[in-house]
Amino acid sequence: MSVKAVFVLLVPLFGLALAQREPSLEVMSALKELQPRYREIQDYAINQLTEARLNSSQVIFNFHTDVLTSKDQYVSNTIEEELGVLMILDRQPETVDRTCLGFVRSSVDMNVNLVGVSYTNCIVRVDDSLAGIVSEFYKTIQQDESQYTGSGLFGVFRGENIFHAPAELMKKLSEKLEELRENPTFIATELFDMIVEFEQELKEVKTGYDECLEDGMQLLRSVLEIARTQVAQVCLGQLEEPIPTTTVAA
């Protein structure tokens, strides 16, 4: 058989095979049409998630600022309370027992150090709470991001055969394309709600921190009041600054 005759026989066979596999080629065309849509949705989702991360960063910064402001205020107030008692001790007349005043001074110093321990416990609890809340928030963000990375693009082939049943694949691809026709704008709403909840959780931590600091301060004020009482009743000193007397010339 001549080469020409073989060619004449193969052309119809090739055309028949091509026609038979046309649905399979259509599957590939549909897949190629779907691929850019995955990229568009991924870009949209990543932009929304990036904005959420930036917003969360601002929330954390504000939280840090609020906590530092509270700590600074309570540290300053503690020093002021301590100085109030130390000034009473320093202005006692020479007739007041120095040893007794020394005991009171040591007690004041010890109790200020103790309130420092209390303040440390408060800030450590804040740090632990913050770490847990932030970790959970970013874990959720990461899960949301993984949903839109295009990892489901080839999932339509699971359990299917592009040559044996291309129609079923085309059906799945058409459904997927319809599903992805619109940007998942609901992500923005969900992320906004997450940021609001994130901020609220940190506000609750801040409230607990302020209460913890206030408890320590109230304890300090109580013991400093006892110290004042000890100056007057135990050391027989004076709480009020003596009024200088003026001698009137005769």
Side-chain angles (χ1 to χ4, degrees), residues 25-238:
L25 296 176
E26 290 176 358
V27 168
M28 293 307 302
S29 296
L31 186 63
K32 291 173 183 177
E33 180 184 355
L34 186 59
Q35 180 195 4
R37 188 65 192 129
Y38 263 95
R39 170 63 184 274
E40 292 168 1
I41 288 180
Q42 181 176 339
D43 288 349
Y44 175 83
I46 288 176
N47 286 335
Q48 295 296 321
L49 291 164
T50 298
E51 183 177 353
R53 287 190 175 94
L54 290 173
N55 289 338
S56 68
S57 177
Q58 184 63 47
V59 169
I60 293 172
F61 176 80
N62 293 342
F63 174 76
H64 283 160
T65 301
D66 291 343
V67 168
L68 287 173
T69 299
S70 288
K71 187 168 184 63
D72 183 56
Q73 176 185 343
Y74 274 88
V75 167
S76 297
N77 290 347
T78 299
I79 294 172
E80 184 178 342
E81 293 283 349
E82 179 188 27
L83 284 175
V85 177
L86 294 180
M87 288 175 64
I88 291 174
L89 293 171
D90 289 342
R91 66 171 179 249
Q92 294 304 307
E94 291 296 328
T95 55
V96 178
D97 188 336
R98 298 291 108 181
T99 301
C100 182
L101 293 176
F103 290 153
V104 175
R105 187 182 297 274
S106 296
S107 174
V108 169
D109 181 65
M110 179 186 67
N111 281 287
V112 170
N113 288 335
L114 283 173
V115 84
V117 174
S118 176
Y119 289 171
T120 295
N121 292 337
C122 295
I123 200 76
V124 167
R125 282 199 291 270
V126 166
D127 191 53
D128 291 342
S129 297
L130 176 62
I133 292 171
V134 170
S135 175
E136 188 63 30
F137 175 80
Y138 282 109
K139 185 191 299 182
T140 304
I141 287 284
Q142 186 65 38
Q143 289 173 349
D144 286 349
E145 184 172 1
S146 65
Q147 295 178 23
Y148 302 99
T149 56
S151 58
L153 178 60
F154 305 127
V156 293
F157 288 95
R158 195 178 303 277
E160 301 295 342
N161 187 317
I162 193 171
F163 296 117
H164 179 67
E168 188 61 30
L169 275 169
M170 279 299 297
K171 178 183 176 183
K172 287 185 176 181
L173 287 170
S174 296
E175 291 173 352
K176 182 66 70 174
L177 185 60
E178 185 62 30
E179 177 186 331
L180 301 178
R181 195 168 298 280
E182 300 293 335
N183 283 334
T185 53
F186 62 87
I187 294 178
T189 302
E190 289 181 353
L191 290 174
F192 175 79
D193 291 341
M194 285 175 58
I195 291 294
V196 171
E197 182 180 355
F198 179 60
E199 187 172 19
Q200 183 58 39
E201 287 179 338
L202 292 186
K203 283 182 179 178
E204 291 173 3
V205 173
K206 171 61 167 51
T207 298
Y209 178 60
D210 288 343
E211 291 173 352
C212 184
L213 291 176
E214 184 60 27
D215 288 344
M217 175 59 76
Q218 289 302 324
L219 284 173
L220 178 65
R221 285 175 176 148
S222 296
V223 297
L224 291 183
E225 186 59 35
I226 292 174
R228 292 185 182 90
T229 301
Q230 289 171 334
V231 170
Q233 296 185 6
V234 179
C235 302
L236 303 179
Q238 301 174 3

